[in-house]
Amino acid sequence: MTTAEGFRVLDEKSLREYIKATPSLASKLGTHQLDNLDIKEVGDGNLNFVYIIISPSGSLVIKQAVPYIRLIGESWPMAKERSYFEATALKRQHDLSPEHVPEVYHFDRTMSLIGMRYIEPPHIILRKGLIAGVEYPLLADHMSEFMANTLFYTSLLYLTTTQHKSAVAEFCANVEICRLTEQVVFSDPYKISEFNRWTSPFLDTDAEAIRNDKILKLEVSELKSKFCEKTQALIHGDLHTSSLMVTKDSTQVIDPEFAFYGPMGFDIGAFIGNLFLAYFAQDGHADYDNDRKAYKAWILDTIANTWNLFYKKFTSLWDIHKEGPGEAYIHEIYNDLELRELLKQKYMMELFHDSLGFAAAKMIRRIVGVAHVEDFESISDLVKRSDCERRALEFAKNLMKKRRNFNTIIDVISVA
């Protein structure tokens, strides 16, 4: 595919020539090693082509957006301009959390192409590690740090209104990606849609029950409104367990092409919700030698630690910068200690409840919507899979409807 604007979809051969003609990429691989490149296409996501390029002198990743949803095909167009927002978000989030976001080496807006650090083995996609039952002792610490830094420093708690509005305006143009989220997370699971699917016939009545649940629809409409209207901070926008590459010592956040200024709870909820999906899938991966009970307990501990550490780190940043440039709560007005603590408690409780609601929405859409998760899909026994999915659905529905009744993350875990 070649367009009048000069965009063309690269293959292995044309990618080699592109790298040779691009100094910022060639220098990372060794200018004298460009005839000895090992190129592998590894894009297993829904949207893009991803290449790993390795030479004797270096390595990198090339990611190219195409003007349609790769999972569906050219029948579902999608603006390739999303790569601009991904590159911009990667750069900003790397600045704010350099230990957990890969560096961008090159961006070509015409070609919708990003060149970035190759996150080398033994890093694997977190979701695959969760399916395999691997514990990551630093995961909660790393993710709470990433979310605290990227969300606080892009919010009005730190920025002036002028800075914030300028950033909001820039990311507002990522409209097609936001509309995709609005459709697949907040709309399609609650109506008959040609793209919906589930483990049929076992979940037929469960999917119908969601479509007929009036209270659930009221709650998801409120969450959709917050997603569309609440420009709280620069969020990743798709922070599930396949957007993380991990070892036991390292956590790297990738693929922020859904980034925009939205509700902080959407990122927190996406991560926590996907951990809950992994938790409910564990019974489907248990066997005679490993009942996965200890691993399920580790997942719940990780969920609790993620929120509790995030709370501590986020509010600590707030305290450090309470007299800073942020214009959400100007220090001259909110300099009374008791008032500031009440304000903080109110803010964080609303954020907690937002996070729970978005976690529930992300769980539901991964079971009865268009794009499912390997946690469940890799369970070959359909009866066992559907049983795991049903328990996850029931938990998610309860969480969405009753999220305001929970005051702590331990309260939430107690009903899982």
Short mmCIF file of all heavy atoms in Angstrom, two decimals, residues 301-353:
data_model
loop_
_atom_site.label_atom_id
_atom_site.label_comp_id
_atom_site.label_asym_id
_atom_site.label_seq_id
_atom_site.Cartn_x
_atom_site.Cartn_y
_atom_site.Cartn_z
N ASP A 301 -2.23 -10.02 46.14
CA ASP A 301 -1.29 -9.17 46.88
C ASP A 301 -0.73 -8.08 45.97
O ASP A 301 -0.55 -6.93 46.41
CB ASP A 301 -0.13 -10.01 47.43
CG ASP A 301 -0.52 -10.85 48.63
OD1 ASP A 301 -1.59 -10.57 49.22
OD2 ASP A 301 0.22 -11.79 48.97
N THR A 302 -0.46 -8.43 44.72
CA THR A 302 0.08 -7.46 43.77
C THR A 302 -0.93 -6.36 43.47
O THR A 302 -0.58 -5.18 43.37
CB THR A 302 0.51 -8.17 42.47
OG1 THR A 302 1.53 -9.13 42.78
CG2 THR A 302 1.06 -7.18 41.45
N ILE A 303 -2.19 -6.74 43.35
CA ILE A 303 -3.25 -5.75 43.14
C ILE A 303 -3.30 -4.78 44.33
O ILE A 303 -3.34 -3.55 44.16
CB ILE A 303 -4.61 -6.44 42.94
CG1 ILE A 303 -4.63 -7.19 41.60
CG2 ILE A 303 -5.75 -5.42 42.98
CD1 ILE A 303 -5.83 -8.11 41.43
N ALA A 304 -3.31 -5.34 45.53
CA ALA A 304 -3.37 -4.50 46.73
C ALA A 304 -2.15 -3.60 46.84
O ALA A 304 -2.27 -2.40 47.11
CB ALA A 304 -3.49 -5.38 47.98
N ASN A 305 -0.98 -4.17 46.60
CA ASN A 305 0.25 -3.38 46.71
C ASN A 305 0.32 -2.30 45.65
O ASN A 305 0.83 -1.20 45.90
CB ASN A 305 1.46 -4.30 46.60
CG ASN A 305 1.63 -5.19 47.82
OD1 ASN A 305 1.14 -4.86 48.90
ND2 ASN A 305 2.30 -6.31 47.67
N THR A 306 -0.19 -2.59 44.46
CA THR A 306 -0.17 -1.59 43.38
C THR A 306 -0.94 -0.35 43.81
O THR A 306 -0.44 0.78 43.70
CB THR A 306 -0.75 -2.17 42.09
OG1 THR A 306 0.08 -3.25 41.63
CG2 THR A 306 -0.82 -1.09 41.01
N TRP A 307 -2.18 -0.54 44.28
CA TRP A 307 -2.97 0.63 44.68
C TRP A 307 -2.37 1.32 45.89
O TRP A 307 -2.24 2.55 45.91
CB TRP A 307 -4.43 0.27 44.96
CG TRP A 307 -5.13 1.45 45.57
CD1 TRP A 307 -5.42 1.64 46.89
CD2 TRP A 307 -5.51 2.66 44.90
NE1 TRP A 307 -6.00 2.87 47.09
CE2 TRP A 307 -6.06 3.52 45.87
CE3 TRP A 307 -5.46 3.08 43.58
CZ2 TRP A 307 -6.55 4.80 45.56
CZ3 TRP A 307 -5.95 4.35 43.26
CH2 TRP A 307 -6.48 5.19 44.23
N ASN A 308 -1.99 0.56 46.89
CA ASN A 308 -1.48 1.17 48.13
C ASN A 308 -0.17 1.93 47.89
O ASN A 308 0.03 3.03 48.43
CB ASN A 308 -1.30 0.11 49.21
CG ASN A 308 -2.63 -0.41 49.74
OD1 ASN A 308 -3.64 0.30 49.71
ND2 ASN A 308 -2.65 -1.65 50.20
N LEU A 309 0.71 1.37 47.08
CA LEU A 309 1.96 2.06 46.76
C LEU A 309 1.70 3.28 45.87
O LEU A 309 2.33 4.33 46.03
CB LEU A 309 2.94 1.11 46.08
CG LEU A 309 3.60 0.06 46.98
CD1 LEU A 309 4.33 -0.98 46.15
CD2 LEU A 309 4.55 0.73 47.97
N PHE A 310 0.78 3.14 44.93
CA PHE A 310 0.41 4.28 44.10
C PHE A 310 -0.11 5.41 44.96
O PHE A 310 0.29 6.58 44.79
CB PHE A 310 -0.64 3.89 43.06
CG PHE A 310 -1.23 5.08 42.35
CD1 PHE A 310 -0.56 5.70 41.31
CD2 PHE A 310 -2.45 5.62 42.76
CE1 PHE A 310 -1.08 6.82 40.69
CE2 PHE A 310 -2.98 6.73 42.13
CZ PHE A 310 -2.30 7.33 41.10
N TYR A 311 -1.00 5.10 45.88
CA TYR A 311 -1.56 6.12 46.77
C TYR A 311 -0.45 6.84 47.51
O TYR A 311 -0.41 8.08 47.58
CB TYR A 311 -2.53 5.45 47.76
CG TYR A 311 -3.30 6.41 48.63
CD1 TYR A 311 -4.65 6.67 48.39
CD2 TYR A 311 -2.69 7.05 49.71
CE1 TYR A 311 -5.37 7.55 49.20
CE2 TYR A 311 -3.40 7.94 50.52
CZ TYR A 311 -4.72 8.17 50.26
OH TYR A 311 -5.42 9.05 51.05
N LYS A 312 0.46 6.08 48.07
CA LYS A 312 1.56 6.65 48.85
C LYS A 312 2.45 7.54 47.99
O LYS A 312 2.80 8.66 48.37
CB LYS A 312 2.38 5.52 49.47
CG LYS A 312 3.54 5.99 50.33
CD LYS A 312 4.28 4.80 50.93
CE LYS A 312 5.46 5.25 51.77
NZ LYS A 312 6.19 4.09 52.36
N LYS A 313 2.83 7.05 46.81
CA LYS A 313 3.75 7.80 45.94
C LYS A 313 3.08 9.03 45.33
O LYS A 313 3.69 10.10 45.24
CB LYS A 313 4.29 6.88 44.84
CG LYS A 313 5.16 5.76 45.38
CD LYS A 313 5.54 4.76 44.29
CE LYS A 313 6.33 3.60 44.87
NZ LYS A 313 6.73 2.62 43.84
N PHE A 314 1.84 8.88 44.91
CA PHE A 314 1.12 9.99 44.28
C PHE A 314 0.90 11.11 45.29
O PHE A 314 1.15 12.29 45.01
CB PHE A 314 -0.21 9.49 43.73
CG PHE A 314 -0.97 10.49 42.91
CD1 PHE A 314 -0.75 10.59 41.54
CD2 PHE A 314 -1.90 11.34 43.49
CE1 PHE A 314 -1.46 11.52 40.77
CE2 PHE A 314 -2.60 12.27 42.74
CZ PHE A 314 -2.38 12.36 41.38
N THR A 315 0.42 10.76 46.48
CA THR A 315 0.17 11.80 47.49
C THR A 315 1.48 12.40 48.01
O THR A 315 1.51 13.57 48.41
CB THR A 315 -0.66 11.24 48.66
OG1 THR A 315 -0.01 10.09 49.20
CG2 THR A 315 -2.06 10.88 48.19
N SER A 316 2.55 11.62 47.98
CA SER A 316 3.86 12.17 48.36
C SER A 316 4.31 13.23 47.37
O SER A 316 4.81 14.29 47.76
CB SER A 316 4.89 11.05 48.45
OG SER A 316 6.17 11.57 48.74
N LEU A 317 4.11 12.96 46.08
CA LEU A 317 4.43 13.97 45.06
C LEU A 317 3.58 15.22 45.27
O LEU A 317 4.06 16.36 45.12
CB LEU A 317 4.20 13.40 43.66
CG LEU A 317 5.17 12.32 43.20
CD1 LEU A 317 4.72 11.73 41.86
CD2 LEU A 317 6.59 12.88 43.06
N TRP A 318 2.33 15.02 45.61
CA TRP A 318 1.42 16.13 45.87
C TRP A 318 1.94 16.98 47.03
O TRP A 318 1.98 18.22 46.96
CB TRP A 318 0.04 15.56 46.18
CG TRP A 318 -1.09 16.54 46.18
CD1 TRP A 318 -1.03 17.90 46.27
CD2 TRP A 318 -2.49 16.22 46.08
NE1 TRP A 318 -2.28 18.45 46.24
CE2 TRP A 318 -3.20 17.44 46.12
CE3 TRP A 318 -3.20 15.03 45.97
CZ2 TRP A 318 -4.59 17.49 46.07
CZ3 TRP A 318 -4.57 15.08 45.92
CH2 TRP A 318 -5.27 16.29 45.95
N ASP A 319 2.38 16.32 48.10
CA ASP A 319 2.91 17.04 49.26
C ASP A 319 4.19 17.80 48.90
O ASP A 319 4.38 18.96 49.31
CB ASP A 319 3.20 16.07 50.40
CG ASP A 319 1.94 15.52 51.04
OD1 ASP A 319 0.88 16.15 50.90
OD2 ASP A 319 2.01 14.44 51.67
N ILE A 320 5.06 17.15 48.15
CA ILE A 320 6.33 17.78 47.78
C ILE A 320 6.10 19.06 46.97
O ILE A 320 6.79 20.06 47.15
CB ILE A 320 7.20 16.79 46.98
CG1 ILE A 320 7.69 15.66 47.89
CG2 ILE A 320 8.40 17.50 46.33
CD1 ILE A 320 8.32 14.50 47.15
N HIS A 321 5.09 19.03 46.11
CA HIS A 321 4.85 20.14 45.18
C HIS A 321 3.63 20.98 45.57
O HIS A 321 3.07 21.67 44.72
CB HIS A 321 4.68 19.60 43.76
CG HIS A 321 5.91 18.90 43.22
ND1 HIS A 321 7.02 19.58 42.80
CD2 HIS A 321 6.18 17.58 43.07
CE1 HIS A 321 7.93 18.72 42.39
NE2 HIS A 321 7.46 17.50 42.55
N LYS A 322 3.25 20.92 46.84
CA LYS A 322 2.04 21.63 47.25
C LYS A 322 2.15 23.14 47.06
O LYS A 322 1.13 23.83 46.91
CB LYS A 322 1.70 21.31 48.71
CG LYS A 322 2.71 21.75 49.75
CD LYS A 322 2.24 21.38 51.15
CE LYS A 322 3.22 21.82 52.22
NZ LYS A 322 4.51 21.07 52.13
N GLU A 323 3.36 23.68 47.03
CA GLU A 323 3.56 25.11 46.78
C GLU A 323 4.12 25.36 45.39
O GLU A 323 4.64 26.43 45.11
CB GLU A 323 4.50 25.69 47.84
CG GLU A 323 3.97 25.60 49.25
CD GLU A 323 4.89 26.24 50.28
OE1 GLU A 323 5.40 27.34 49.99
OE2 GLU A 323 5.09 25.64 51.35
N GLY A 324 3.98 24.36 44.52
CA GLY A 324 4.52 24.46 43.17
C GLY A 324 3.58 25.17 42.21
O GLY A 324 2.62 25.84 42.63
N PRO A 325 3.83 24.98 40.90
CA PRO A 325 3.07 25.74 39.88
C PRO A 325 1.65 25.22 39.64
O PRO A 325 0.86 25.90 39.01
CB PRO A 325 3.93 25.57 38.63
CG PRO A 325 4.64 24.26 38.83
CD PRO A 325 4.91 24.17 40.29
N GLY A 326 1.33 24.02 40.13
CA GLY A 326 0.03 23.44 39.85
C GLY A 326 -1.12 24.34 40.29
O GLY A 326 -1.10 24.90 41.38
N GLU A 327 -2.13 24.46 39.43
CA GLU A 327 -3.21 25.40 39.70
C GLU A 327 -4.55 24.74 40.04
O GLU A 327 -5.57 25.42 40.11
CB GLU A 327 -3.37 26.34 38.50
CG GLU A 327 -2.17 27.26 38.31
CD GLU A 327 -2.44 28.37 37.30
OE1 GLU A 327 -2.25 28.11 36.09
OE2 GLU A 327 -2.83 29.46 37.73
N ALA A 328 -4.52 23.42 40.25
CA ALA A 328 -5.77 22.77 40.67
C ALA A 328 -6.18 23.27 42.05
O ALA A 328 -7.35 23.62 42.29
CB ALA A 328 -5.60 21.25 40.68
N TYR A 329 -5.22 23.31 42.95
CA TYR A 329 -5.49 23.76 44.32
C TYR A 329 -4.36 24.70 44.74
O TYR A 329 -3.33 24.27 45.27
CB TYR A 329 -5.58 22.55 45.26
CG TYR A 329 -6.59 21.54 44.79
CD1 TYR A 329 -6.18 20.35 44.19
CD2 TYR A 329 -7.97 21.78 44.91
CE1 TYR A 329 -7.11 19.43 43.74
CE2 TYR A 329 -8.89 20.87 44.45
CZ TYR A 329 -8.47 19.69 43.87
OH TYR A 329 -9.39 18.78 43.41
N ILE A 330 -4.56 25.96 44.49
CA ILE A 330 -3.52 26.97 44.72
C ILE A 330 -3.21 27.06 46.21
O ILE A 330 -4.11 27.11 47.06
CB ILE A 330 -4.00 28.33 44.18
CG1 ILE A 330 -4.20 28.22 42.66
CG2 ILE A 330 -2.99 29.44 44.49
CD1 ILE A 330 -4.88 29.42 42.04
N HIS A 331 -1.92 27.07 46.52
CA HIS A 331 -1.47 26.95 47.91
C HIS A 331 -2.02 28.07 48.80
O HIS A 331 -2.37 27.84 49.96
CB HIS A 331 0.06 26.96 47.97
CG HIS A 331 0.60 26.79 49.35
ND1 HIS A 331 0.46 25.63 50.07
CD2 HIS A 331 1.28 27.66 50.16
CE1 HIS A 331 1.01 25.77 51.26
NE2 HIS A 331 1.52 26.99 51.34
N GLU A 332 -2.13 29.27 48.26
CA GLU A 332 -2.62 30.39 49.07
C GLU A 332 -4.06 30.18 49.54
O GLU A 332 -4.48 30.74 50.56
CB GLU A 332 -2.55 31.71 48.28
CG GLU A 332 -1.14 32.25 48.07
CD GLU A 332 -0.41 31.54 46.95
OE1 GLU A 332 -1.01 30.66 46.29
OE2 GLU A 332 0.78 31.84 46.75
N ILE A 333 -4.80 29.34 48.82
CA ILE A 333 -6.18 29.06 49.20
C ILE A 333 -6.26 27.82 50.09
O ILE A 333 -7.03 27.78 51.05
CB ILE A 333 -7.05 28.86 47.94
CG1 ILE A 333 -6.99 30.11 47.05
CG2 ILE A 333 -8.50 28.52 48.31
CD1 ILE A 333 -7.68 29.94 45.71
N TYR A 334 -5.44 26.82 49.77
CA TYR A 334 -5.53 25.53 50.44
C TYR A 334 -4.30 25.26 51.31
O TYR A 334 -3.73 24.17 51.31
CB TYR A 334 -5.69 24.41 49.39
CG TYR A 334 -6.93 24.59 48.54
CD1 TYR A 334 -6.85 25.21 47.29
CD2 TYR A 334 -8.17 24.18 49.00
CE1 TYR A 334 -7.98 25.40 46.52
CE2 TYR A 334 -9.31 24.36 48.23
CZ TYR A 334 -9.21 24.97 46.99
OH TYR A 334 -10.34 25.15 46.24
N ASN A 335 -3.87 26.27 52.06
CA ASN A 335 -2.67 26.12 52.87
C ASN A 335 -2.95 25.64 54.29
O ASN A 335 -2.04 25.42 55.08
CB ASN A 335 -1.87 27.43 52.91
CG ASN A 335 -2.72 28.60 53.43
OD1 ASN A 335 -3.87 28.41 53.81
ND2 ASN A 335 -2.14 29.78 53.42
N ASP A 336 -4.21 25.47 54.63
CA ASP A 336 -4.58 24.92 55.93
C ASP A 336 -4.38 23.40 55.91
O ASP A 336 -4.88 22.70 55.02
CB ASP A 336 -6.03 25.24 56.25
CG ASP A 336 -6.48 24.65 57.57
OD1 ASP A 336 -6.20 25.26 58.61
OD2 ASP A 336 -7.08 23.55 57.53
N LEU A 337 -3.64 22.86 56.85
CA LEU A 337 -3.28 21.44 56.85
C LEU A 337 -4.50 20.54 56.89
O LEU A 337 -4.59 19.57 56.13
CB LEU A 337 -2.36 21.14 58.04
CG LEU A 337 -1.90 19.67 58.18
CD1 LEU A 337 -1.12 19.25 56.95
CD2 LEU A 337 -1.08 19.50 59.45
N GLU A 338 -5.47 20.86 57.76
CA GLU A 338 -6.67 20.03 57.86
C GLU A 338 -7.46 20.06 56.56
O GLU A 338 -7.92 19.02 56.07
CB GLU A 338 -7.54 20.52 59.02
CG GLU A 338 -8.80 19.68 59.21
CD GLU A 338 -9.68 20.19 60.33
OE1 GLU A 338 -9.35 21.25 60.91
OE2 GLU A 338 -10.71 19.55 60.62
N LEU A 339 -7.61 21.24 55.96
CA LEU A 339 -8.32 21.36 54.70
C LEU A 339 -7.63 20.58 53.60
O LEU A 339 -8.27 19.88 52.80
CB LEU A 339 -8.43 22.85 54.31
CG LEU A 339 -9.04 23.13 52.92
CD1 LEU A 339 -10.46 22.58 52.83
CD2 LEU A 339 -9.01 24.63 52.64
N ARG A 340 -6.29 20.68 53.56
CA ARG A 340 -5.53 19.99 52.52
C ARG A 340 -5.66 18.47 52.64
O ARG A 340 -5.79 17.76 51.64
CB ARG A 340 -4.07 20.40 52.58
CG ARG A 340 -3.28 20.04 51.33
CD ARG A 340 -1.98 20.81 51.20
NE ARG A 340 -1.06 20.50 52.29
CZ ARG A 340 -0.63 21.38 53.18
NH1 ARG A 340 -1.07 22.63 53.13
NH2 ARG A 340 0.22 21.03 54.13
N GLU A 341 -5.69 17.97 53.87
CA GLU A 341 -5.86 16.53 54.07
C GLU A 341 -7.26 16.07 53.67
O GLU A 341 -7.43 15.01 53.06
CB GLU A 341 -5.57 16.16 55.52
CG GLU A 341 -4.10 16.21 55.89
CD GLU A 341 -3.25 15.31 55.00
OE1 GLU A 341 -3.61 14.13 54.83
OE2 GLU A 341 -2.23 15.80 54.45
N LEU A 342 -8.28 16.86 54.00
CA LEU A 342 -9.64 16.52 53.59
C LEU A 342 -9.76 16.52 52.07
O LEU A 342 -10.41 15.64 51.48
CB LEU A 342 -10.63 17.52 54.19
CG LEU A 342 -10.87 17.41 55.69
CD1 LEU A 342 -11.71 18.59 56.18
CD2 LEU A 342 -11.56 16.09 56.03
N LEU A 343 -9.15 17.50 51.45
CA LEU A 343 -9.17 17.60 50.00
C LEU A 343 -8.50 16.39 49.36
O LEU A 343 -9.01 15.80 48.41
CB LEU A 343 -8.45 18.89 49.58
CG LEU A 343 -8.33 19.15 48.08
CD1 LEU A 343 -9.69 19.46 47.49
CD2 LEU A 343 -7.38 20.32 47.84
N LYS A 344 -7.35 16.02 49.91
CA LYS A 344 -6.60 14.89 49.39
C LYS A 344 -7.39 13.59 49.51
O LYS A 344 -7.45 12.77 48.58
CB LYS A 344 -5.26 14.78 50.13
CG LYS A 344 -4.24 13.87 49.48
CD LYS A 344 -3.00 13.73 50.35
CE LYS A 344 -2.41 15.08 50.70
NZ LYS A 344 -1.25 14.96 51.60
N GLN A 345 -8.03 13.42 50.67
CA GLN A 345 -8.83 12.21 50.89
C GLN A 345 -9.98 12.13 49.90
O GLN A 345 -10.26 11.07 49.33
CB GLN A 345 -9.35 12.19 52.32
CG GLN A 345 -8.29 11.95 53.37
CD GLN A 345 -8.82 12.12 54.79
OE1 GLN A 345 -10.04 12.08 55.01
NE2 GLN A 345 -7.93 12.32 55.75
N LYS A 346 -10.65 13.24 49.67
CA LYS A 346 -11.77 13.27 48.73
C LYS A 346 -11.30 12.96 47.31
O LYS A 346 -11.93 12.18 46.58
CB LYS A 346 -12.45 14.65 48.77
CG LYS A 346 -13.64 14.81 47.85
CD LYS A 346 -14.28 16.18 48.03
CE LYS A 346 -15.53 16.35 47.18
NZ LYS A 346 -15.23 16.31 45.73
N TYR A 347 -10.20 13.59 46.91
CA TYR A 347 -9.65 13.39 45.56
C TYR A 347 -9.27 11.93 45.35
O TYR A 347 -9.61 11.33 44.32
CB TYR A 347 -8.43 14.29 45.41
CG TYR A 347 -7.83 14.35 44.02
CD1 TYR A 347 -8.09 15.42 43.17
CD2 TYR A 347 -6.97 13.36 43.57
CE1 TYR A 347 -7.52 15.51 41.92
CE2 TYR A 347 -6.40 13.42 42.31
CZ TYR A 347 -6.67 14.50 41.49
OH TYR A 347 -6.11 14.56 40.23
N MET A 348 -8.58 11.35 46.32
CA MET A 348 -8.08 9.99 46.15
C MET A 348 -9.21 8.96 46.23
O MET A 348 -9.14 7.92 45.56
CB MET A 348 -7.00 9.70 47.19
CG MET A 348 -5.74 10.55 47.05
SD MET A 348 -4.98 10.48 45.39
CE MET A 348 -4.39 8.78 45.37
N MET A 349 -10.25 9.23 47.02
CA MET A 349 -11.37 8.30 47.06
C MET A 349 -12.13 8.30 45.74
O MET A 349 -12.55 7.25 45.24
CB MET A 349 -12.31 8.64 48.23
CG MET A 349 -13.42 7.61 48.44
SD MET A 349 -12.79 5.93 48.73
CE MET A 349 -12.10 6.11 50.39
N GLU A 350 -12.30 9.47 45.15
CA GLU A 350 -12.95 9.52 43.84
C GLU A 350 -12.11 8.81 42.80
O GLU A 350 -12.64 8.09 41.95
CB GLU A 350 -13.19 10.98 43.42
CG GLU A 350 -13.92 11.09 42.09
CD GLU A 350 -14.23 12.51 41.67
OE1 GLU A 350 -14.05 13.44 42.49
OE2 GLU A 350 -14.66 12.70 40.52
N LEU A 351 -10.80 9.00 42.87
CA LEU A 351 -9.91 8.32 41.94
C LEU A 351 -9.97 6.80 42.13
O LEU A 351 -9.97 6.04 41.16
CB LEU A 351 -8.48 8.82 42.13
CG LEU A 351 -7.38 8.17 41.27
CD1 LEU A 351 -7.73 8.22 39.79
CD2 LEU A 351 -6.03 8.84 41.54
N PHE A 352 -10.04 6.36 43.37
CA PHE A 352 -10.17 4.93 43.68
C PHE A 352 -11.44 4.36 43.06
O PHE A 352 -11.40 3.32 42.39
CB PHE A 352 -10.16 4.74 45.20
CG PHE A 352 -10.29 3.32 45.65
CD1 PHE A 352 -9.37 2.36 45.28
CD2 PHE A 352 -11.34 2.94 46.48
CE1 PHE A 352 -9.48 1.04 45.72
CE2 PHE A 352 -11.46 1.64 46.93
CZ PHE A 352 -10.53 0.69 46.55
N HIS A 353 -12.56 5.04 43.25
CA HIS A 353 -13.82 4.54 42.72
C HIS A 353 -13.84 4.59 41.19
O HIS A 353 -14.38 3.68 40.54
CB HIS A 353 -14.98 5.34 43.30
CG HIS A 353 -15.20 5.09 44.76
ND1 HIS A 353 -15.78 6.01 45.61
CD2 HIS A 353 -14.90 4.02 45.54
CE1 HIS A 353 -15.85 5.52 46.83
NE2 HIS A 353 -15.31 4.32 46.81
#
